[in-house]
Amino acid sequence: SQRHDKGADWRGLEECTMRDVRLEDLHFDGCVSTQQHPDGVQPWRLPVKDVELFHPDLVRSAGGASGVRIRFRSDTGSVRLRVRRLRTYCRYDYDLFVDGAFVASHVEDPEHPIALAGLSEVPSRFPEAMARAGDEGSELMITFGDAAPAASREERVFELWLSTAGPQVVTGFWLDEGASLAPAPDPRPLWVTHGSSISHGTGFDAIFSGPGCPAGSARSPSRSWPAVAAREAGLNLLNLGYSGQCHLDQAVARTIRDLDGVAAISLKLGINVHNYGSLSLRSFAQAALGFLATVRDGHPTVPLLVLSPVHGSGWREDGSCSALIVAPDREAVDPRYPTLSQMRTELERVVGLLQRRGDDRIAYASGLDLFGPDDFAAGLAPDQLHPSPDGYELMGQRFAQLAFGPRGRLLPGRLPPAPTAVPAKAAAGAWRTSSSGAAVATAALGRRGFRCLAEALSLASRRSRVHRAGGGPRA
């Protein structure tokens, strides 16, 4: 395998002997819809024909192609992709798999980065990032030149994972001259998951750059926790994790309801509601019930797993972030809004209620089983909110066993029993974790710093400008 850290020089593309593939012949897995632009095709993780029904902030997040793959069968030895960046401050990275095996990653640094000296700057810089969310960048050329050995050029299944954080328009695609090209329908069961930035696979470093911003995103597009779990269990992934935008919106519930061929559904709920104070303790459980009822309208017997929030740093467990947004001078918990602990209790109660009413295909799991206080203590959450790159992979492995292992709560028996669990502290030593300096810096940010961050997120949500490209949905 290989990792390309610089963009390919594609100015001499016309001199290369490669086959130009019609974009109409490409198939995108892991998206809900695609949109035709004058120069290419954009994948979306929402139905683009109904884009005006979704909150603008969710539209901005759904453009990021988390879990979206171009999938095809070919005997080519190289693959070349051209994309137009629709966000200039994001890193753009791509993964290539052939016959299920990882081949290489290609990474492009942000075109116009927003550099941080430390996380304490996030509140003041976040509105700038949201104002620039619609700034378009230049085109990129991504080349995988040794996708298959020349001596074994037989037809193989290719999966090219698109970049997770920033939206993009695919404007060109090439294979070797004379190479075959055929559809490669994914025969694996379709698993749909919905959640927040932790499911999306993006942290603050998906927006900001520099040594002052610790790692909080998955290492590459194919290494978010849902991607890791889907690969381990042999599943076709549709990742509806929306960074900052898991608020039990009915538009999202209807999107899941209307999907075809779904074999399993998981919903990881709560953390964004806590961050933004978007639902009170009175309305949180009722909104969850309404969301689940809408999903069940379309999938009455599909196995469904509800997951509560993962561990939150320090005060987040028993404090309501909403109180810090509504009244920043008051440090006491506002009883009108749920804490993370209360959210877990409420979600478990909701699932128990539905089970007693006859739904025997719904289950509950605590987010602490995926990522708990020991993981924070081990340094696997350097920004005190998102997992580190290694933390995402650990979450994916744990979820794979919890949902798809011998006693899995979604599709049991797709995995053999797991080996003896590795304690989080030991895992942190074995995996490549972020530096302790970053963890110390974020710990120093503390409660008051995250209060400011919450205020900035709320303000930016009201002020953000969302880029919407023209054109209608692709048939």
Side-chain angles (χ1 to χ4, degrees):
S1 66
Q2 61 178 324
R3 180 179 176 89
H4 304 283
D5 292 314
K6 298 293 182 182
D9 183 355
W10 55 277
R11 288 170 294 179
L13 174 64
E14 65 278 2
E15 301 173 3
C16 300
T17 306
M18 298 195 78
R19 170 189 175 187
D20 189 354
V21 175
R22 295 191 315 158
L23 297 180
E24 293 81 358
D25 293 335
L26 294 181
H27 178 74
F28 293 83
D29 272 350
C31 63
V32 175
S33 64
T34 55
Q35 181 180 12
Q36 286 281 13
H37 290 249
D39 60 341
V41 180
Q42 179 182 3
W44 284 92
R45 294 182 300 126
L46 52 72
V48 69
K49 65 182 178 62
D50 297 324
V51 68
E52 67 271 19
L53 302 179
F54 292 79
H55 192 281
D57 288 349
L58 192 147
V59 174
R60 171 177 50 80
S61 182
S66 184
V68 178
R69 296 92 67 198
I70 298 176
R71 182 180 168 94
F72 60 96
R73 180 180 295 277
S74 179
D75 61 359
T76 190
S78 56
V79 176
R80 181 168 285 166
L81 171 75
R82 187 178 64 210
V83 301
R84 176 163 53 89
R85 290 181 282 198
L86 298 180
R87 199 160 292 155
T88 61
Y89 55 71
C90 290
R91 181 184 75 169
Y92 280 77
D93 52 354
Y94 301 83
D95 287 343
L96 180 66
F97 282 70
V98 179
D99 283 345
F102 173 74
V103 173
S105 290
H106 183 112
V107 182
E108 293 280 348
D109 292 333
E111 187 171 11
H112 300 297
I114 303 175
L116 290 185
L119 279 179
S120 61
E121 291 186 350
V122 169
S124 62
R125 304 299 297 277
F126 202 88
E128 173 192 349
M130 296 302 97
R132 287 176 47 188
D135 294 350
E136 294 192 15
S138 61
E139 286 192 322
L140 297 173
M141 187 68 76
I142 299 96
T143 300
F144 296 96
D146 50 0
S152 59
R153 294 289 171 80
E154 57 188 29
E155 283 201 337
R156 300 163 183 258
V157 174
F158 290 72
E159 277 194 326
L160 179 53
W161 291 67
L162 299 183
S163 190
T164 295
Q168 62 224 282
V169 176
V170 176
T171 61
F173 199 81
W174 293 266
L175 304 176
D176 287 347
E177 185 67 36
S180 62
L181 176 66
D186 197 329
R188 298 171 296 182
L190 177 61
W191 165 41
V192 179
T193 191
H194 170 54
S196 66
S197 59
I198 297 175
S199 297
H200 192 143
T202 54
F204 296 131
D205 59 335
I207 300 173
F208 304 105
S209 303
C213 189
S217 298
R219 186 167 282 109
S220 70
S222 65
R223 298 173 81 173
S224 66
W225 78 257
V228 170
R231 189 159 50 253
E232 294 221 352
L235 296 169
N236 179 6
L237 172 66
L238 175 57
N239 186 354
L240 301 183
Y242 303 123
S243 180
Q245 299 305 314
C246 182
H247 294 275
L248 296 169
D249 292 358
Q250 276 294 308
V252 176
R254 291 195 297 270
T255 297
I256 299 173
R257 177 197 65 189
D258 295 340
L259 295 171
D260 294 326
V262 177
I265 300 169
S266 60
L267 306 171
K268 190 175 173 304
L269 308 175
I271 188 64
N272 290 149
V273 172
H274 184 274
N275 287 344
Y276 285 81
S278 55
L279 294 168
S280 68
L281 186 58
R282 159 65 177 81
S283 57
F284 176 68
Q286 293 304 119
L289 280 168
F291 193 100
L292 291 167
T294 299
V295 171
R296 275 294 187 232
D297 285 343
H299 309 286
T301 61
V302 170
L304 195 161
L305 178 60
V306 176
L307 297 115
S308 59
V310 301
H311 180 70
S313 62
W315 62 271
R316 296 174 64 85
E317 280 294 310
D318 298 306
S320 52
C321 190
S322 55
L324 305 177
I325 295 174
V326 175
D329 59 334
R330 183 176 62 244
E331 295 292 334
V333 173
D334 188 332
R336 295 174 297 174
Y337 297 92
T339 67
L340 296 185
S341 299
Q342 289 173 321
M343 286 179 172
R344 296 188 192 103
T345 300
E346 285 291 270
L347 289 173
E348 187 172 18
R349 179 181 68 82
V350 164
V351 172
L353 171 63
L354 295 176
Q355 289 171 334
R356 291 190 298 274
R357 289 178 60 85
D359 190 342
D360 60 357
R361 307 301 301 278
I362 192 171
Y364 168 82
S366 170
L368 300 178
D369 294 336
L370 295 184
F371 202 75
D374 287 347
D375 300 310
F376 270 72
L380 293 176
D383 71 2
Q384 299 297 289
L385 179 61
H386 304 92
S388 66
D390 296 328
Y392 281 103
E393 301 201 33
L394 190 60
M395 278 187 66
Q397 293 169 353
R398 288 171 175 169
F399 183 87
Q401 279 295 327
L402 185 150
F404 310 120
R407 302 180 64 182
R409 302 180 199 181
L410 271 182
L411 298 175
R414 296 193 65 83
L415 288 175
T420 303
V422 180
K425 290 184 178 179
W431 297 42
R432 297 188 303 276
T433 57
S434 299
S435 67
S436 59
V440 171
T442 53
L445 179 61
R447 177 172 178 153
R448 189 171 298 275
F450 273 98
R451 175 189 70 193
C452 297
L453 171 61
E455 293 168 342
L457 291 170
S458 179
L459 179 64
S461 174
R462 295 192 294 270
R463 293 183 175 178
S464 62
R465 293 188 295 110
V466 179
H467 170 72
R468 298 184 184 179
R474 181 177 181 226

